[in-house]
Amino acid sequence: MKKLILFLSVVFFSEKSFAQASAFLVTDPAAEQVMLGNYDPTLYTASVVINHPDSISQGIMQRINPDSLKSNIIKLASFHNRNTGSDTLSATKGFGAARNWVYSKFQEYSTANGNRLIPAFFQFDQAICLVNRHKNIIAVLPGIDTTDKRIILIEGHMDSRCEVLCDTSCLAQGVEDNATGTALVMELARVMSKYSYNHTIVFMITTSEEQGLYGAEAFADYCTLKGIQIKAVQNNDVIGGIVCGTTSSAPSCPGLNAIDSTQVRLFSFGGFNSKHKQYARFSKLEYKEELLPFVSVPMTVSIMSAEDRTGRGGDHIPFRQHAYTAIRYTSANEHGDANVAAVGYSDRQHSSRDTLGIDTNGDFVVDSFFVNFNYLARNAVINGNAAGMAAIGPKEPDFTVVAIGTSMVEVTITQQTGYAFYRFADRTTTNDWDSVYLMTGTVDTFMVGTAVNHYVSVASIDTNGIESLFSKEILIAVPNGISELKKEEGISLMQNKPNPFDESTIISVYVDKGKKYKEAFISITDIKGKEIKRMPVELKQGMNEVIYEHGYGASGIFTYTLMLDGKAVESRKMIFAN
C-alpha cells in the first residue's frame, strides 16, 4: 500500500519520471482468449463439476488453510527485497525470483486440478525505479458459460519497500504490506480452482503498487484496450495484521497495541447509487447468509464510507477509474500510516521492520509472528465466498418503484423478468442495507418503516437460490412525514450517512433542478459554533456527495451547513462517536 503524498511529491518527480505503460503482453495466449471469452468451455471442464453455491461456499470455508498461508508468507519473506526495481535475475533474491516462485505455485495448483488453471505473466513496459519492463502474475480459471463474458478479478500486490521508495538492497520483507494479500490470493487460487463457476475468475499478483499503483493501472488499461469485461474486482492489501501501531491512517485503529482479529474493512468509492458500495454490501450479505451460521469465529464486515484510508490508495482505484466495479479488503488494524519521513516514525509499515516477527527465545527462529494466520484465513474465506457467489450468480435486473400510502412501496422488475424470485434491499441511514426481502414475481409490495427517504435496489434469484449482484439504487421518498426532498425549493441538504459515525461520513445535497451559483460549500462547525472545516460541493442535478473525514480522537455533536453564495441554505446535526 502506498502513501499517496509520496508520489505527488514535486521533489520525487523532479528526480525520476514514470512513463505511461505500453507494450502489453500476456505470455500465454490461451489466458488472454479466456479473459476475452473466446474459448470452448468444454476444454476446461472439471472431471467432477462442483458448482452449487452451498458446495462452493462450504468447500472454500473448509479448505482455506492457515498453515498454507503461513508457509507462503514465510517464503515471500525469504526473497529479502521485493521492490519493483529489485533483482530479476537471481533465483533466490528480488522480485524476479518471487514472481517466478508464484508462477510455479500457480502451475502446481493447476496440475492438482486437471490443468484447468492457466498461469501466465502480464508484461508491460514502463520506467519505474530504473527498470523498464515489469510483470504481474496471473492465473486464469475459465468459466463454464461464455454467455456472460464478464470476469471476476481477485488481486493483491507483491512488491515491498523500505523507507526509500526505490531502495533495492534493504531488507524489505513486506510481510503485512503485502505478503498477506499475495498469500491470500494464492490460497484462493489453490482452493477455488477445485470448483466450477459460470464466470471466469482471474487471480492476479501485481507489481509497482508502492510507486503509484502501476501494475494495476497497466492491467486496467489493458482490459479497457482489449475490451475485457470485468464484473467485479476484489483488492487485498494489508489484510492479515491485528496489532495497531503508534500511527495509523484514519479510519483505522485507535492506538498502540490495540488488537482486532474479528473485523475486516471493505473500502469502496461513492455513496448513493455506487456500484462499488453495492458490491461491498453484496460481499457482506453473502458472508452473513452463506457462512456466518457455520463459522467458529464470527467476523464483523465493516462497509467503510471512503474509498480508502485518509490520504492513501490501493490497486482497486485504477479499476474504479476505468469504470469497473472495485472494492478493497483491509484488516481492521494497521501498523503505521506509512509516513516514513516523519520524525520518530517507528511503526513497521513501509520500513525494514515489516518482517515476519520476533525471536523470543534466542534460537534465531521467528516464533512470534506479526501476522495472525487464522485471521488471514478468515479474511480469505470472506473473499472467496463473495467472489464465488458473484461468479455463479444470475444477471442483475432493473426496476421501478413507487410509494403507496404512508409506509409502503411497490416494486416492478423491468429487465431480467424471467426469474421466479428476486430480492429487494432497503437502505436508510447507514452504508449497509437495513433489510433485504424476498420478492415473489416481478411485482411486489413492501412495508418500509418510518424513515422518509429510502435507497432501494433489487437482485435476481436463480433456481439454485443464489442472488445476482444488486442493481442501481433508486431514491424514493415515502410520504409519512416531511420529506428531506424539498422540491419546491429545488435543493435539499440530506442527513449524513452513517450517523452516528466514527472516522468519516457522507454528506449529500439533492438538487431537483439545476441552479446557477458562484460558490457552494459545506461548513462544519463544532458545538460552540466554531467553523472547523469547509468543503466545496458541486451542485449538479441529482445527488451530490462529499466525504467528511474527522478521524479518531474526538466525539460529540457537530453541525453542517450548506452555504450558497454566502447564504446559509440549510443546516443539520451529525454525531461523531469514537
Side-chain angles (χ1 to χ4, degrees), residues 316-577:
H316 56 306
I317 293 176
F319 291 97
R320 186 269 301 168
Q321 291 171 333
H322 282 68
Y324 298 123
T325 300
I327 66 174
R328 170 184 178 139
Y329 290 75
T330 292
S331 59
N333 286 353
E334 195 169 357
H335 209 276
D337 63 2
N339 187 13
V340 294
V343 176
Y345 180 79
S346 60
D347 287 329
R348 292 193 292 269
Q349 194 171 129
H350 284 195
S351 78
S352 58
R353 297 179 294 279
D354 188 4
T355 58
L356 284 170
I358 56 177
D359 169 21
T360 62
N361 58 13
D363 65 354
F364 303 103
V365 176
V366 172
D367 50 35
S368 178
F369 291 88
F370 294 141
V371 169
N372 185 300
F373 303 106
N374 289 312
Y375 173 64
L376 180 59
R378 293 194 290 273
N379 289 335
V381 169
I382 295 170
N383 259 266
N385 182 67
M389 298 305 102
I392 62 172
K395 291 186 177 180
E396 303 91 304
D398 202 353
F399 74 112
T400 59
V401 60
V402 294
I404 301 177
T406 60
S407 60
M408 299 188 71
V409 295
E410 181 180 84
V411 178
T412 302
I413 304 298
T414 58
Q415 289 186 18
Q416 305 302 328
T417 57
Y419 297 103
F421 299 100
Y422 299 84
R423 301 197 78 174
F424 168 73
D426 179 31
R427 184 171 69 89
T428 55
T429 62
T430 72
N431 288 328
D432 199 4
W433 293 309
D434 298 352
S435 301
V436 180
Y437 303 99
L438 180 66
M439 178 175 173
T440 303
T442 57
V443 180
D444 211 340
T445 57
F446 300 93
M447 186 81 69
V448 292
T450 58
V452 174
N453 294 309
H454 297 261
Y455 304 84
V456 298
S457 54
V458 294
S460 308
I461 299 179
D462 66 11
T463 54
N464 284 325
I466 191 68
E467 51 274 310
S468 68
L469 302 190
F470 280 72
S471 68
K472 67 184 181 185
E473 283 191 312
I474 294 178
L475 171 60
I476 183 168
V478 178
N480 56 357
I482 301 174
S483 172
E484 291 181 32
L485 304 184
K486 301 175 182 177
K487 293 184 181 296
E488 69 278 6
E489 297 179 10
I491 188 169
S492 180
L493 182 65
M494 309 288 284
Q495 187 62 54
N496 66 299
K497 296 176 179 62
N499 187 47
F501 66 103
D502 47 15
E503 81 301 325
S504 62
T505 190
I506 297 173
I507 297 173
S508 306
V509 181
Y510 187 88
V511 178
D512 190 38
K513 296 179 181 179
K515 191 175 184 68
K516 292 183 179 180
Y517 65 94
K518 294 180 180 179
E519 181 186 38
F521 62 88
I522 302 293
S523 173
I524 310 293
T525 56
D526 63 17
I527 197 169
K528 296 180 180 180
K530 179 183 178 181
E531 185 176 64
I532 56 178
K533 190 167 186 177
R534 287 188 179 186
M535 296 182 296
V537 60
E538 184 178 4
L539 299 180
K540 299 182 294 185
Q541 186 170 358
M543 192 71 77
N544 305 271
E545 298 177 326
V546 294
I547 292 181
Y548 172 55
E549 297 177 329
H550 194 298
Y552 284 92
S555 61
I557 299 174
F558 297 81
T559 299
Y560 60 99
T561 303
L562 173 62
M563 301 294 296
L564 187 62
D565 291 337
K567 176 184 176 182
V569 175
E570 190 176 358
S571 296
R572 288 186 177 273
K573 301 291 186 183
M574 59 182 177
I575 301 172
F576 181 85

Side-chain angles (χ1 to χ4, degrees), residues 177-191:
D177 184 16
N178 184 39
T180 56
T182 301
L184 183 149
V185 175
M186 293 173 64
E187 181 70 354
L188 289 181
R190 181 186 73 83
V191 169

